[in-house]
Amino acid sequence: MARVTLRKTVIVGLILAVCIWGTVRRGRLSTVRGFKKGAGDSGVEDPEYEAVLRWLDKGGAIIKGISGKKRDLVGGGRGLFSTKSHKFGEILMKIPSTMWISDRSIYHRSACGPILRDDEFLAEKLKLDPSMAVVVGLEYERNNEFSPWEPYLRFMRRQETPIWWSSEQLEELQSDNLALGAREVQQQLQEFYDSVYPYLFKNYPSMFNPKVNTLESLKWAALTIWGRAFQISSQEYGLVPIGDLLNHRKGRAATWSLEYSNKQDKSDPTMYIFEANTDMFPGDEITISYGDTRSTYQYLLYCGFVPRNQPYGDYISMSAGGKLYGFVGVDGRLHATFLTQLREAKNFNPNSKQVFEFIYKEVQQVIASLPTTLEEDREGLSQKSLTYHEFVTLTYRVRFKEILHALLQNLGIEAGTTAGNLTPFNKQSIARKLERKKGDLEQSHRES
């Protein structure tokens, strides 16, 4: 008998999940942020930023009317703010490739570059995941007091994500899928470290030391690259100093582009250019978009934050018998193809409401089995003075439960049941209602 499976939280026989939309590393990701009582967008001056600015200036970077500030938010975080008016299309920053930390800069500027490039054992290992070359290079440079990037590396902070969390903290997400994703990344990093670093310690002891180049240090480097890097080419990502302080916001205030030594070839980028995407005024935060349709899962796992009022990439996936798969977005609607296939698999009458009744009961069981209700999580999210962990955990839980409840309401109407005091709706009224409710809670939390 076919059984409907919802991927997200382990329940008896059922799993529910907000899944990844898109690829893991595509352009710029992000730093930690949230809300807290008294939070404001103006930020406070960051003296360490000035040291990086001087370093960039010596390297030929151009930065116009921008200040780096610490943001008064849950979990900390920094951002870039305008110190003067900027017109649409105006160049804000130009960061030369000599300042980036990328594959090619590690190979050519880092003392460990020749080792990673020329050692046959290491070259073979890095072929399995080319992105790990810049990760190992960054990990080495972080512990190198004579690093050419020393002012920038001293300025950087740990990329907070669930990958650092304990098993107990991951369980609080009520997301078996997200917990599994975090543990898989932890395991992958452990395996890479065990297969590469003992070789480095044995063959290059003057450069790599087990007391310094630890698994935690490698994890720091990997999460920094995966969560803060810009795309340089189809196969290369790199850190762009100061540019990686640009926070995410839908309807970005800035855009970026690459400048090349050969416009026809485009194989040798020489400059990252950031331009104003709108008119800006002193005190405005300069932001970019990391992807307006990415899922909450992806933002939280690799970036460590949940974007406000942006659930559009979120969905739950459903399967029946391990063969049929369907997806439910924020409007709570199942694709007709999945319903047709499920009818055939279970020999339901195509003109009956059996398929809706069947899935309705399954979804009811999932919701009833969750440790907390949607209302309880919304109430928790509306509280003041939330910690970083509390805020992202509650926001994540609210978002996937809203999809579940929208799905349940749609199924109840299609099945003709009156359970749950269901009311008629047009095609997108539920999604809009849930969006407004969540927006009201978050706005109240920001203003309190």
Side-chain angles (χ1 to χ4, degrees):
M1 173 175 120
R3 183 158 181 84
V4 172
T5 301
L6 300 174
R7 297 196 45 144
K8 180 77 171 153
T9 292
V10 170
I11 316 295
V12 178
L14 293 177
I15 304 179
L16 164 70
V18 173
C19 300
I20 294 180
W21 187 98
T23 57
V24 170
R25 304 172 206 142
R26 180 170 49 185
R28 168 72 170 84
L29 299 184
S30 94
T31 53
V32 176
R33 47 215 152 265
F35 308 113
K36 148 177 164 178
K37 183 177 180 179
D41 284 335
S42 58
V44 294
E45 296 297 334
D46 188 351
E48 290 183 332
Y49 169 80
E50 299 301 324
V52 179
L53 209 61
R54 291 191 294 270
W55 171 72
L56 285 169
D57 184 61
K58 291 180 181 178
I62 298 173
I63 301 175
K64 300 179 179 180
I66 296 174
S67 176
K69 296 181 179 181
K70 297 178 181 178
R71 305 181 78 212
D72 184 21
L73 303 172
V74 172
R78 290 161 160 151
L80 294 182
F81 296 80
S82 177
T83 60
K84 73 179 195 68
S85 296
H86 294 281
K87 295 295 184 181
F88 171 81
E90 182 180 338
I91 291 178
L92 304 172
M93 298 187 291
K94 299 180 73 173
I95 312 295
S97 58
T98 52
M99 314 303 286
W100 307 346
I101 300 181
S102 63
D103 288 358
R104 66 189 75 192
S105 65
I106 288 294
Y107 285 141
H108 295 98
R109 296 193 66 200
S110 173
C112 75
I115 295 173
L116 301 179
R117 184 183 62 240
D118 302 331
D119 186 291
E120 292 184 4
F121 173 84
L122 295 174
E124 193 65 30
K125 286 290 184 182
L126 294 173
K127 280 183 182 179
L128 300 176
D129 187 349
S131 71
M132 291 305 292
V134 68
V135 169
V136 174
L138 176 62
E139 192 280 323
Y140 168 80
E141 291 298 335
R142 182 201 186 199
N143 297 294
N144 175 19
E145 61 179 319
F146 303 108
S147 172
W149 297 280
E150 193 274 334
Y152 173 51
L153 295 173
R154 186 174 66 245
F155 174 72
M156 296 175 72
R157 296 293 180 267
R158 190 173 94 164
Q159 185 81 356
E160 294 295 342
T161 87
I163 295 170
W164 293 103
W165 290 5
S166 67
S167 296
E168 291 76 15
Q169 289 176 312
L170 290 173
E171 288 301 319
E172 291 176 12
L173 288 166
Q174 300 176 16
S175 168
D176 209 52
N177 190 57
L178 184 56
L180 178 62
R183 292 188 181 107
E184 284 180 344
V185 174
Q186 293 169 353
Q187 183 63 30
Q188 289 166 4
L189 289 172
Q190 179 73 63
E191 291 175 356
F192 181 86
Y193 184 86
D194 292 341
S195 66
V196 171
Y197 273 72
Y199 179 86
L200 291 171
F201 301 147
K202 179 180 178 180
N203 293 276
Y204 304 99
S206 63
M207 301 181 67
F208 290 90
N209 186 320
K211 293 183 179 180
V212 175
N213 306 102
T214 63
L215 175 62
E216 292 298 296
S217 184
L218 178 68
K219 188 185 296 185
W220 174 91
L223 294 177
T224 297
I225 292 295
W226 297 342
R228 302 174 67 92
F230 285 85
Q231 190 165 8
I232 294 172
S233 69
S234 60
Q235 298 296 323
E236 185 178 8
Y237 292 79
L239 298 173
V240 179
I242 297 302
D244 64 350
L245 290 185
L246 292 164
N247 289 315
H248 166 80
R249 182 169 296 169
K250 188 182 179 184
R252 56 193 178 275
T255 59
W256 67 92
S257 61
L258 282 162
E259 189 175 275
Y260 301 89
S261 59
N262 185 334
K263 293 183 179 180
Q264 303 301 320
D265 184 0
K266 293 190 175 181
S267 64
D268 185 23
T270 58
M271 193 79 67
Y272 235 104
I273 301 172
F274 298 88
E275 297 181 359
N277 195 46
T278 185
D279 291 345
M280 287 183 282
F281 302 94
D284 287 350
E285 183 175 8
I286 304 170
T287 59
I288 59 176
S289 172
Y290 307 165
D292 291 342
T293 55
R294 281 185 168 148
S295 71
T296 297
Y297 174 107
Q298 189 181 34
Y299 275 115
L300 182 53
L301 184 61
Y302 289 97
C303 309
F305 79 102
V306 176
R308 48 183 136 172
N309 299 322
Q310 190 180 312
Y312 309 108
D314 293 348
Y315 60 85
I316 59 175
S317 66
M318 304 182 68
S319 67
K323 297 179 180 179
L324 309 179
Y325 297 92
F327 304 93
V328 183
V330 294
D331 62 354
R333 289 189 171 272
L334 269 169
H335 197 276
T337 302
F338 176 77
L339 295 172
T340 300
Q341 292 174 338
L342 186 58
R343 282 192 185 99
E344 294 174 353
K346 292 190 63 63
N347 296 316
F348 287 145
N349 186 326
N351 297 319
S352 75
K353 298 180 179 180
Q354 288 175 291
V355 68
F356 298 109
E357 295 169 348
F358 173 74
I359 302 175
Y360 182 88
K361 291 178 181 178
E362 297 285 347
V363 175
Q364 275 189 318
Q365 291 178 20
V366 171
I367 293 175
S369 301
L370 292 171
T372 58
T373 67
L374 174 59
E375 290 72 23
E376 289 171 337
D377 289 341
R378 281 176 171 166
E379 175 63 25
L381 191 58
S382 69
Q383 299 302 308
K384 302 174 183 178
S385 302
L386 292 174
T387 66
Y388 158 76
H389 175 72
E390 290 169 339
F391 174 78
V392 295
T393 296
L394 287 166
T395 303
Y396 189 78
R397 286 177 0 200
V398 164
R399 290 201 174 173
F400 84 75
K401 288 176 184 177
E402 285 177 340
I403 298 177
L404 269 185
H405 280 265
L407 171 61
L408 187 67
Q409 181 138 338
N410 287 347
L411 291 169
I413 291 172
E414 294 291 349
T417 180
T418 58
N421 296 318
L422 303 180
T423 56
F425 65 100
N426 59 37
K427 190 170 184 179
Q428 295 187 357
S429 65
I430 289 180
R432 288 199 297 268
K433 180 179 179 181
L434 295 176
E435 195 60 23
R436 284 197 301 270
K437 177 65 175 176
K438 176 159 45 37
D440 291 344
L441 286 174
E442 293 181 334
Q443 183 66 32
S444 174
H445 188 51
R446 288 197 301 273
E447 294 177 350
S448 60

